[in-house]
Amino acid sequence: MVSSLDSVRQKLLNKDDDWQWSLINTFREYCRAIGINRPSSDPIQVMHFQLRHAIEQSRGVRAGSSKPHGHTLSLAYAAAAVKALTLDHGRKAAAAISEVAKATGFDKQDVQNFYHALSRDRAPKEAPAAYNFCLTQMREWSADVILASLSGISIFVE
């Protein structure tokens, strides 16, 4: 923790544009390490996504993407849930999309469009890696655990 804070301090002194993101990232990792659960740390994650998006926008990294980082990653998580429900729990895609939309509070059409965009390589560039990471984890979970994990992720969508 001390070395991470020293790194953040050096970024601040160097006037690096990502020092705030580094600070919130350090705090986020500390919260995880001491066992703070996801719902309690959601505000930290929201700020993490907002700062990352702002930095990438200012650097021109996300010039082609109008959606904030949290929005993209939350929909990738939802799409992974749809896929896991269809592959491992016998759900039809339409039923899985409806269940996921209900569990997340996302619009059903948004979930469906993002799910299909991923399969057609039309999703934002960071989405496939997040989707694959989440899908790998979710394939080991029961349908109930998958659906429960979706609760509250709409907080990351601005």
Side-chain angles (χ1 to χ4, degrees):
M1 177 73 165
V2 172
S3 65
S4 292
L5 288 173
D6 287 343
S7 295
V8 171
R9 183 176 187 279
Q10 191 58 51
K11 285 177 172 277
L12 174 63
L13 293 173
N14 293 341
K15 300 186 186 309
D16 290 353
D17 65 349
D18 65 347
W19 76 268
Q20 292 171 323
W21 180 85
S22 296
L23 178 62
I24 203 71
N25 192 53
T26 297
F27 184 57
R28 181 185 67 143
E29 293 303 318
Y30 173 73
C31 289
R32 284 183 182 164
I34 63 171
I36 294 177
N37 64 12
R38 201 212 83 209
S40 297
S41 65
D42 281 352
I44 299 164
Q45 188 64 47
V46 169
M47 184 177 281
H48 182 268
F49 285 149
Q50 289 171 340
L51 288 169
R52 181 172 174 180
H53 181 74
I55 291 165
E56 290 176 351
Q57 285 282 3
S58 72
R59 292 178 180 175
V61 173
R62 293 177 54 89
S65 177
S66 61
K67 299 290 185 192
H69 199 68
H71 184 274
T72 299
L73 296 182
S74 295
L75 282 170
Y77 191 87
V82 170
K83 190 66 168 182
L85 290 170
T86 60
L87 289 175
D88 301 319
H89 302 289
R91 307 295 209 282
K92 299 284 186 198
I97 288 168
S98 293
E99 285 183 273
V100 167
K102 183 178 179 182
T104 59
F106 293 154
D107 182 75
K108 181 179 166 183
Q109 193 65 46
D110 289 343
V111 174
Q112 181 175 320
N113 289 345
F114 201 87
Y115 178 72
H116 291 306
L118 274 164
S119 67
R120 296 179 182 123
D121 291 328
R122 294 186 179 157
K125 66 181 177 182
E126 68 270 21
Y131 167 83
N132 289 326
F133 177 79
C134 294
L135 180 59
T136 299
Q137 291 182 327
M138 288 180 186
R139 297 215 52 202
E140 299 176 11
W141 300 349
S142 71
D144 289 340
V145 171
I146 292 169
L147 293 170
S149 77
L150 298 168
S151 175
I153 68 167
S154 62
I155 193 172
F156 301 115
V157 178
E158 299 171 6

